[in-house]
Amino acid sequence: MAETIKTKVLIIGAGTGGYVAGIRCGQLGLDVVLVDGGDGLGGTCLNVGCIPSKAIIHAASKFETVAKAAAGGTLGITASKPAIDMAQTTAWKDGIVRKLNAGVAGLLKKAKVKVINGWATFSDAKTCIVKTADGDITITAEHVILATGSEPVELPFLPFGGDVISSTEALSLDKVPGKLVVVGGGYIGLELGIAFRKLGAEVAIVEMADRLLPLYDKALTDPVQKWLEKHGVELHLGAKAGSFEKGQLNITTRDGAALKLKADKVLVTVGRRPRTKGWGLENMGVAMAGPFVKIDDRCAASMKNVWAVGDLTGEPMLAHKGSAQGEIVAEIIAGHDKRFDPVTIAAVCFTEPEIVSAGLTPLDVEGRDDVITAVFPLMAIGRALALEAGDDGGFVRVLASKTDHRLLGVQAVGQHVSELANSFAQMLEMGAVLEDVAGTIHVHPTMGEAFHEASLRALGHAIHI
């Protein structure tokens, strides 16, 4: 039965950008409808991305710890040889996702957001038809927030299906593949490739660039590459993947040689693209910036009262960026004077070891003589040694202006450094100088002491090195 709804705010997409925008709109007393036609409440991040991948990564690390104990002992602990029931691990991960789904649903209900499950198609900038299980609903709105997110890029010669999988399928496997070939050496491929190596799979990585994680400088990625080499992960850098036939992936090496890699599963992680097809974006009259919706510093699209947030708006495609944009757009619609102009959006790779980057990197300041760079190794931090996190080449690095000591960037590589990301971003957002970090008494023993010591070293007087 056809139904018509008029609302102040219509949000398309229930990912971290869309649902946060919905909650904030509700808190501000706005009438809001949220249409969820994708992965479910929480979007890619909660259902098939950030959260489930970190659950699998955590399980893999636990398994690796027991495996070490069984292979001669670790920290004086010995154990019998472990086994993994991947179906049970996946079920545990699914339980976490369900719990968070229910949490998001409760928050939206509390904020009086009307949630409609269905696929929306726009006929013009402010009108869409949502196909639901109970029939079509026509929605017109004064404001539209587009938060449709992104989807994995599919290679034409390696279409998804069967044993060629995306990260979505990789997070729902019921058994550990004997041989896994990962196509793409970015953060998604490496996070999952490392996790499955810890779980016992033989892993090979095929990357077109000459090194892994090419967006990061070599000093940050070297500890990751050393872990991969130490743990028998086969690396094919500067190589191109081809077709997958009869359990073998064809690749062309850097030298032009043809190779066949045996694979039970081929995980294709060559990037993500904005989800712009199939919901009538072309009928909305908004300007584009390449494959993305073009927005200004208020997240406004070119059509009046149309807004866009999250992966749809361009790099970096990070959940926390979408959430921040969603909150700001809700406040703008409610009449607040807001801009999306962050000093930095920190990024984390949950590899082994982890990588954090916030602000400018050495690649950004190459050739400049007005920048101080200082590095402090984690091996000189007591907490790192106590966590077995000091012997993998990890460090914290600060970049600051020579003239006024203003922090320009902070990076780290090492076990557990992901938890330092917010401290890095906070100091940069507040416009801190080296003396601010140096003058903050850091708790001992913690990993964060490395940030303190790196800043002291930049000032010429580190204590513990």
Side-chain angles (χ1 to χ4, degrees), residues 56-257:
I56 296 297
I57 287 167
H58 174 69
S61 293
K62 290 283 190 183
F63 183 84
E64 181 191 37
T65 299
V66 181
K68 282 181 180 177
T74 177
L75 311 179
I77 302 167
T78 57
S80 300
K81 184 177 179 181
I84 181 81
D85 184 334
M86 198 64 196
Q88 282 192 36
T89 304
T90 299
W92 166 74
K93 176 267 298 179
D94 290 342
I96 294 170
V97 170
R98 282 194 300 273
K99 185 175 182 179
L100 292 171
N101 278 145
V104 172
L107 292 169
L108 289 165
K109 185 177 180 180
K110 182 181 178 183
K112 299 181 180 177
V113 176
K114 182 177 179 62
V115 178
I116 297 174
N117 294 304
W119 191 259
T121 305
F122 281 85
S123 55
D124 60 47
K126 306 290 171 54
T127 309
C128 72
I129 295 175
V130 182
K131 293 193 173 297
T132 75
D134 299 320
D136 292 354
I137 301 174
T138 300
I139 304 176
T140 59
E142 187 179 332
H143 294 266
V144 173
I145 303 175
L146 301 175
T148 54
S150 62
E151 58 198 4
V153 171
E154 186 176 43
L155 294 172
F157 50 86
L158 274 177
F160 294 131
D163 292 327
V164 179
I165 61 176
S166 73
S167 56
T168 299
E169 292 76 36
L171 293 168
S172 295
L173 294 175
D174 58 5
K175 66 178 182 178
V176 177
K179 294 180 183 291
L180 174 70
V181 176
V182 180
V183 178
Y187 76 95
I188 297 174
L190 288 182
E191 285 184 3
L192 293 176
I194 288 169
F196 279 106
R197 180 68 192 108
K198 288 181 177 181
L199 291 170
E202 292 181 28
V203 176
I205 295 171
V206 180
E207 166 57 43
M208 283 185 67
D210 289 331
R211 62 183 189 83
L212 302 169
L213 297 166
L215 295 179
Y216 295 96
D217 62 272
K218 191 170 181 295
L220 283 178
T221 60
D222 273 352
V224 177
Q225 182 155 337
K226 286 175 183 174
W227 188 96
L228 295 167
E229 291 167 351
K230 180 181 177 181
H231 291 81
V233 175
E234 199 177 316
L235 298 179
H236 297 277
L237 303 178
K240 294 181 181 178
S243 59
F244 179 62
E245 301 165 329
K246 298 177 181 177
Q248 294 183 316
L249 178 70
N250 295 296
I251 73 165
T252 305
T253 69
R254 184 180 352 209
D255 302 326

Side-chain angles (χ1 to χ4, degrees), residues 3-20:
E3 183 183 351
T4 300
I5 295 174
K6 291 185 178 181
T7 185
K8 174 80 171 180
V9 183
L10 168 63
I11 303 171
I12 305 298
T16 50
Y19 90 73
V20 168

